[in-house]
Amino acid sequence: MTTVATTPAPPMRYPKLAQPWIALFLAVLAELGIAFFVLNVVAVPLIAVWVGIPMLLAFVPATRWFANCHRTMLAGFTGERIPRPYKKPPMPGILMWLRTTLTDPATWRDIIWLIVNATIGFTLCILSAVLFLATLFYAVYPLLVGVTPEGVFTEPFGGLLTVNFWTSFLVTPFALIAFMIWMAAGERLLKANAFMARSLLGPTESAKLALRVRELAESRAETVDTQAAELRRIERDLHDGAQARLAALSMNLGMAEEMVNRDPEQAAALLTEARQSASTALSELRDLVRGIHPPVLADRGLEGAVKALALSCPFKVDVTFDVPGRPPAPVESAAYFAVAEALANAVKYSAATNAWIQITHEDEKLHILVGDDGIGGAVIKPGGGLYGIERRLAAFDGTLTVVSPTAGPTTVIMELPCESSSLKTTPSSGTA
């Protein structure tokens, strides 16, 4: 099983020789889009007599599916995926869906794109395909003349030339010319079509801003919920652990104080028990503090803290760390706890014998990879450890990608924004 969360990988570029056939296919689809355009335009005024409602219920999803297919295919030319900017109805119901759809600018931009794609898009795609097909035609033209009965290719150019197998090679330079033009302009024509489609099918700047605001609002709400849950956990641990032991310690000391004169042996036993309770309470407080912000992270930095985690695992863990400096404390803390949770999952569920951690800094991001050779099958589900990592990283605009086939291995890939200017070099940043 493979689970991919948040940001997907960039789309693959199309091979050069596959592009003419894709262009030909896109040209055919462009003309089919005229049917979608006509059906949608006809359905809108028919809403007044209620006939347009079932028509729109059928044609709008079909048009969006058609546009989404192009978003996927054209991503191979632009190098990046074209987002789907459609609004979601705030409430269920056909009328609410219809209202949201008709007031959604993306719906009308799709309809405009259909007619633009059927004209400009068709021209760009067919021109790119024809350049390549012309290359093939002129390259095999002598062969066509050789296998064609006499009289079919005779006296072209106003009778100035009689075509036979040998004179047919005079058109071979046209194959080279067409090929050179296709090599220079074929892919550019398809990219022009892709960027034109992206300008209409992609989200506008206002839509991007609205989407970003929504993402930040959701991230903030989840962060607040996570912090509230963390505070409740700390309060519960203090109440049920250290506080209870300190209360028992106070009672034992009080009883020992009363018995110190009349029963010294019993008082000594109570003092011994009180010392053990104090030691246990101190250990629990240390564990609690370590769960909030580990001292090793503050003292030795992310590299030292991660290596300490690796040493505490029951199996071998290889650590590769290549970060030119020390990230800001919030990023460092998020990265540490993400690695800790990923390793904890590997220890609990993977049945692994080896694991590896790689932390690097590239493209203004902190890249973290945690892998193991276990049984795989890891999935992101609400309430699980991986879901907690995803929520923790989301507060920093980070991403989580989990690749875990059922037979293993499992690879957890995390990214956290961390600009080079925010990295700082300290005496402890490179200490292991």
Side-chain angles (χ1 to χ4, degrees):
M1 180 179 295
T2 302
T3 302
V4 181
T6 319
T7 305
M12 295 292 293
R13 296 269 187 181
Y14 293 121
K16 189 72 174 180
L17 292 178
Q19 293 176 8
W21 314 110
I22 296 174
L24 199 59
F25 181 65
L26 289 173
V28 174
L29 289 181
E31 296 310 302
L32 291 178
I34 297 177
F36 288 97
F37 174 80
V38 172
L39 292 173
N40 281 277
V41 170
V42 170
V44 172
L46 293 178
I47 295 177
V49 292
W50 297 96
V51 178
I53 294 179
M55 293 177 65
L56 287 176
L57 291 175
F59 299 152
V60 171
T63 302
R64 291 186 172 183
W65 171 83
F66 187 72
N68 287 335
C69 290
H70 280 75
R71 289 185 177 97
T72 302
M73 288 187 292
L74 295 176
F77 296 110
T78 61
E80 58 183 13
R81 301 183 184 277
I82 302 176
R84 303 176 182 183
Y86 303 119
K87 293 181 179 179
K88 294 182 179 180
M91 294 184 294
I94 294 177
L95 294 180
M96 181 57 65
W97 176 88
L98 187 63
R99 177 184 177 184
T100 304
T101 300
L102 293 179
T103 57
D104 188 356
T107 301
W108 304 105
R109 288 164 63 86
D110 283 354
I111 294 177
I112 295 173
W113 166 78
L114 287 172
I115 196 65
V116 172
N117 187 51
T119 52
I120 300 176
F122 171 81
T123 303
L124 294 173
C125 291
I126 202 65
L127 184 57
S128 178
V130 165
L131 287 172
F132 182 79
L133 295 177
T135 301
L136 295 180
F137 174 77
Y138 287 119
V140 301
Y141 185 73
L143 179 61
L144 293 176
V145 173
V147 299
T148 303
E150 294 184 6
V152 176
F153 293 99
T154 58
E155 299 184 358
F157 309 108
L160 298 177
L161 178 65
T162 299
V163 176
N164 55 40
F165 178 73
W166 301 109
T167 58
S168 64
F169 283 97
L170 294 175
V171 302
T172 302
F174 289 103
L176 180 60
I177 294 173
F179 178 74
M180 293 177 63
I181 297 175
W182 173 75
M183 286 293 295
E187 186 174 2
R188 287 184 171 89
L189 292 171
L190 295 176
K191 284 185 176 180
N193 176 53
F195 284 112
M196 179 201 67
R198 189 179 68 176
S199 66
L200 290 172
L201 295 180
T204 60
E205 291 301 322
S206 59
K208 290 180 181 178
L209 181 60
L211 179 62
R212 182 62 179 153
V213 170
R214 187 171 68 227
E215 290 176 350
L216 290 176
E218 293 175 354
S219 176
R220 183 185 64 180
E222 291 173 349
T223 301
V224 170
D225 292 341
T226 301
Q227 293 299 322
E230 187 70 11
L231 288 175
R232 288 194 297 269
R233 181 190 69 81
I234 294 172
E235 182 183 6
R236 183 176 63 251
D237 290 347
L238 285 173
H239 183 271
D240 298 340
Q243 180 178 331
R245 294 192 182 279
L246 290 174
L249 171 63
S250 177
M251 294 177 60
N252 288 338
L253 290 176
M255 294 172 62
E257 184 180 8
E258 294 178 357
M259 295 183 178
V260 68
N261 293 325
R262 68 173 187 270
D263 194 350
E265 294 183 359
Q266 184 65 24
L270 289 174
L271 289 173
T272 300
E273 184 178 350
R275 180 177 58 81
Q276 293 175 349
S277 296
S279 177
T280 303
L282 181 61
S283 177
E284 290 179 350
L285 286 174
R286 285 174 177 171
D287 292 339
L288 184 62
V289 171
R290 191 177 296 113
I292 299 173
H293 190 81
V296 66
L297 183 61
D299 297 338
R300 300 168 59 188
L302 182 59
E303 181 179 8
V306 169
K307 288 182 177 179
L309 283 175
L311 291 175
S312 66
C313 284
F315 45 73
K316 181 182 178 183
V317 180
D318 297 322
V319 178
T320 303
F321 192 91
D322 185 14
V323 178
R326 186 165 178 176
V331 174
E332 198 174 52
S333 178
Y336 171 81
F337 283 110
V339 172
E341 185 62 38
L343 277 181
N345 282 353
V347 172
K348 292 179 183 178
Y349 309 113
S350 70
T353 57
N354 288 284
W356 50 92
I357 303 172
Q358 297 177 4
I359 302 178
T360 58
H361 183 268
E362 296 177 3
D363 301 328
E364 307 297 336
K365 289 183 179 180
L366 197 66
H367 299 267
I368 306 170
L369 186 149
V370 180
D372 64 72
D373 61 354
I375 59 176
V379 295
I380 300 176
K381 55 184 178 181
L386 293 176
Y387 180 79
I389 297 176
E390 186 181 40
R391 293 304 92 209
R392 184 184 293 273
L393 298 181
F396 297 86
D397 283 344
T399 63
L400 171 68
T401 302
V402 180
V403 180
S404 185
T406 53
T410 296
T411 304
V412 180
I413 304 170
M414 297 166 277
E415 291 185 353
L416 275 171
C418 181
E419 297 182 359
S420 300
S421 59
S422 64
L423 293 171
K424 54 185 182 294
T425 303
T426 64
S428 63
S429 64
T431 305

Short mmCIF file of all heavy atoms in Angstrom, two decimals, residues 25 104 128 180 201 281 300 330 336 348 370 411:
data_model
loop_
_atom_site.label_atom_id
_atom_site.label_comp_id
_atom_site.label_asym_id
_atom_site.label_seq_id
_atom_site.Cartn_x
_atom_site.Cartn_y
_atom_site.Cartn_z
N PHE A 25 -3.64 13.86 -30.44
CA PHE A 25 -4.74 13.48 -29.56
C PHE A 25 -5.40 14.71 -28.94
O PHE A 25 -6.64 14.80 -28.86
CB PHE A 25 -4.21 12.54 -28.47
CG PHE A 25 -5.26 12.06 -27.51
CD1 PHE A 25 -6.31 11.25 -27.94
CD2 PHE A 25 -5.20 12.42 -26.18
CE1 PHE A 25 -7.28 10.82 -27.05
CE2 PHE A 25 -6.16 11.98 -25.28
CZ PHE A 25 -7.21 11.18 -25.72
N ASP A 104 -19.49 30.22 -9.35
CA ASP A 104 -18.06 29.92 -9.30
C ASP A 104 -17.39 30.43 -10.59
O ASP A 104 -17.73 29.98 -11.69
CB ASP A 104 -17.85 28.41 -9.16
CG ASP A 104 -16.39 28.06 -8.91
OD1 ASP A 104 -15.54 28.98 -8.93
OD2 ASP A 104 -16.10 26.88 -8.69
N SER A 128 1.99 21.53 -34.46
CA SER A 128 3.10 20.76 -33.92
C SER A 128 3.10 19.34 -34.46
O SER A 128 4.16 18.79 -34.81
CB SER A 128 3.03 20.74 -32.39
OG SER A 128 4.08 19.96 -31.84
N MET A 180 13.87 19.99 -38.67
CA MET A 180 14.56 21.06 -37.94
C MET A 180 13.55 22.06 -37.37
O MET A 180 13.70 22.52 -36.22
CB MET A 180 15.55 21.77 -38.86
CG MET A 180 16.73 20.90 -39.29
SD MET A 180 17.84 21.73 -40.45
CE MET A 180 18.42 23.08 -39.44
N LEU A 201 -7.57 27.50 -16.91
CA LEU A 201 -8.00 26.38 -16.06
C LEU A 201 -7.44 26.47 -14.65
O LEU A 201 -7.98 25.86 -13.73
CB LEU A 201 -7.57 25.05 -16.69
CG LEU A 201 -8.21 24.70 -18.03
CD1 LEU A 201 -7.68 23.35 -18.52
CD2 LEU A 201 -9.72 24.65 -17.92
N ALA A 281 9.10 10.78 41.30
CA ALA A 281 8.48 12.03 40.85
C ALA A 281 9.46 12.86 40.04
O ALA A 281 9.10 13.46 39.02
CB ALA A 281 7.97 12.82 42.05
N ARG A 300 22.60 20.22 22.21
CA ARG A 300 23.43 19.66 21.14
C ARG A 300 22.86 19.89 19.75
O ARG A 300 23.45 19.46 18.77
CB ARG A 300 23.63 18.17 21.39
CG ARG A 300 24.32 17.86 22.71
CD ARG A 300 24.26 16.41 23.08
NE ARG A 300 24.87 15.56 22.05
CZ ARG A 300 24.80 14.24 22.06
NH1 ARG A 300 24.13 13.63 23.04
NH2 ARG A 300 25.39 13.53 21.12
N PRO A 330 11.76 26.69 16.63
CA PRO A 330 10.49 26.02 16.33
C PRO A 330 10.62 24.95 15.24
O PRO A 330 10.04 23.87 15.35
CB PRO A 330 9.58 27.17 15.88
CG PRO A 330 10.18 28.39 16.47
CD PRO A 330 11.65 28.15 16.46
N TYR A 336 12.56 17.46 15.11
CA TYR A 336 12.96 16.43 16.09
C TYR A 336 11.79 15.52 16.45
O TYR A 336 11.91 14.29 16.42
CB TYR A 336 13.51 17.10 17.34
CG TYR A 336 13.73 16.14 18.49
CD1 TYR A 336 14.87 15.36 18.54
CD2 TYR A 336 12.78 16.01 19.50
CE1 TYR A 336 15.07 14.46 19.59
CE2 TYR A 336 12.97 15.12 20.55
CZ TYR A 336 14.11 14.34 20.59
OH TYR A 336 14.30 13.45 21.61
N LYS A 348 7.49 0.12 16.83
CA LYS A 348 6.26 -0.54 17.26
C LYS A 348 5.69 -1.49 16.22
O LYS A 348 5.24 -2.58 16.54
CB LYS A 348 5.21 0.52 17.62
CG LYS A 348 5.52 1.33 18.86
CD LYS A 348 4.41 2.36 19.10
CE LYS A 348 4.72 3.25 20.29
NZ LYS A 348 3.66 4.27 20.49
N VAL A 370 13.08 9.35 6.75
CA VAL A 370 13.18 8.28 7.75
C VAL A 370 12.68 7.00 7.10
O VAL A 370 11.52 6.94 6.67
CB VAL A 370 12.37 8.60 9.02
CG1 VAL A 370 12.51 7.48 10.03
CG2 VAL A 370 12.81 9.92 9.63
N THR A 411 9.23 4.38 3.69
CA THR A 411 10.00 5.63 3.60
C THR A 411 9.08 6.79 3.94
O THR A 411 8.04 6.96 3.30
CB THR A 411 10.59 5.83 2.19
OG1 THR A 411 11.38 4.69 1.84
CG2 THR A 411 11.46 7.07 2.16
#
